Amino acid sequence: MFELTEEHQAIVAMVAEFAAENIAPHAVQWDQEHHFPVDVLAQAGELGMGGIYVREDFGGSGMTRLDAALIFEELAKADPTISAYISIHNMVAWMVDRFGNDAQRAAWLPQLCTMETLASYCLTEPGVGSDAAALSTRAVRDGDEYVLNGTKQFISGAGASGLYVVMARTADTGSAGISAFLVPDGTPGLSFGALEKKMGWNAQPTRQVVFEDLRIPASNLLGEEGAGFSIAMKGLNGGRVNIGACSLGGGQAALDKSISYLKERSAFGAPLIGQQALLFQIAEMQAELESARTMVWRAADALESGSKDKVRLCAMAKLVATDAGFSAANTALQLHGGYGYLAEYGIEKIVRDLRVHQILEGSNEIMKLIIGRIAIDS
């Protein structure tokens, strides 16, 4: 578990080469221009990154959760924003693969796995964040159709995606009254809010997704009616491991840049790398990232094997990895001094991008709540 196989090393090398050639050189420009590189996403899809842990019969790569964590970390070394979006897309593709029927899988997975069609996950609402079970978007059965009304908030890829997996209320029975639906782009009644102006993640669009008397066939129900909350939470278990891996990649990139900078920069007549106080900070960054990486790998393994402890471990992985990644990036900015504050060095972008990882896929406060509740109930 703690030593990568030759196959894992080959995967890492392939993704690293792709990211170094196609993502890293453009990351700062994409951030500044708010450019969503759908052409590069399609190239990633050609390499199997659109359905990493989707079964192979409809175009998935059939890989493991650990494979996915390794891939997202490598992508995030080049650009956490792009890696994070690909991780969300993979979460949606897995949900279709895991809970969809054969007709739904055949209709959507081939194009999702190539990233010819992009996907968005629609759970959060304007007045409903951490308390997801209180969502109010409603789906009412009308003959052979469902009619959806409501608004989703903070949706990555909104306006660019071809498929929206939407959690909506079909009964007033709390979390048991939530169902999941497949909503294709272009469906009458589907619209989007303005692009959100954000601290980071500028290379992917974030908008509200609005449903106004939107009609979809009843066959677009994903899984059983009332199973939507369970589907959403199972998707988020993997999403938490994935965003943890993205944080590791961004934090590792910040650490690597810091080591290079301290070796090159001199002050008071000697290279900065020789300053013991600065070496201590490098050591702390590395130790925190390596500890978090171990946690992410363990959670990925638990998720893959279906361990009864997977929910707790995924929450722990998300908590420690997103904290470690942001801490490393923030320390790196300090180590770079004024240069870290300049866009061209790429450090301030990593800080801005990684900050939101402590909020999304369940805030880190919610992760502590999950871990604490399991601890006292065990």
Side-chain angles (χ1 to χ4, degrees), residues 49-117:
M49 292 185 231
I52 298 170
Y53 41 90
V54 169
R55 287 171 285 177
E56 296 177 278
D57 54 344
F58 286 110
S61 297
M63 301 171 80
T64 69
R65 297 291 185 148
L66 176 56
D67 295 329
L70 297 172
I71 289 169
F72 295 132
E73 179 173 351
E74 284 305 311
L75 290 172
K77 290 176 183 177
D79 190 345
T81 301
I82 300 306
S83 182
Y85 176 75
I86 295 176
S87 81
I88 294 167
H89 174 91
N90 270 270
M91 179 173 66
V92 175
W94 174 82
M95 292 166 72
V96 175
D97 183 45
R98 174 65 178 80
F99 300 103
N101 57 40
D102 286 345
Q104 292 168 335
R105 295 178 68 237
W108 288 107
L109 289 178
Q111 53 191 307
L112 291 175
C113 290
T114 61
M115 299 190 80
E116 172 189 351
T117 295

Side-chain angles (χ1 to χ4, degrees), residues 185-230:
D185 186 40
T187 302
L190 176 66
S191 62
F192 308 98
L195 279 171
E196 301 287 1
K197 297 178 181 179
K198 299 169 295 185
M199 175 181 176
W201 275 26
N202 290 320
Q204 58 164 286
T206 304
R207 293 181 170 97
Q208 285 188 336
V209 178
V210 182
F211 313 98
E212 297 178 290
D213 293 328
L214 180 146
R215 288 182 174 269
I216 52 174
S219 59
N220 284 30
L221 175 68
L222 183 65
E224 300 295 326
E225 192 168 292
F229 189 76
S230 175

Side-chain angles (χ1 to χ4, degrees), residues 3-16 52 56 61-68 70-71 74 297 304:
E3 190 72 33
L4 295 184
T5 65
E6 290 185 4
E7 183 177 353
H8 286 139
Q9 293 173 26
I11 292 169
V12 169
M14 181 271 289
V15 177
I52 298 170
E56 296 177 278
S61 297
M63 301 171 80
T64 69
R65 297 291 185 148
L66 176 56
D67 295 329
L70 297 172
I71 289 169
E74 284 305 311
W297 289 8
E304 184 70 25

Side-chain angles (χ1 to χ4, degrees), residues 141-174:
R141 183 72 181 256
D142 183 17
D144 292 332
E145 296 179 316
Y146 282 95
V147 183
L148 273 65
N149 281 283
T151 301
K152 297 296 182 178
Q153 183 76 28
F154 305 131
I155 305 306
S156 295
S161 290
L163 176 65
Y164 299 85
V165 171
V166 181
M167 308 304 155
R169 184 163 299 285
T170 49
D172 293 318
T173 52

Side-chain angles (χ1 to χ4, degrees), residues 246-270:
C246 292
S247 294
L248 291 176
Q252 187 66 51
L255 172 58
D256 294 343
K257 287 176 183 287
S258 297
I259 292 172
S260 296
Y261 177 78
L262 293 179
K263 285 181 176 179
E264 297 168 1
R265 176 83 167 163
S266 293
F268 307 107

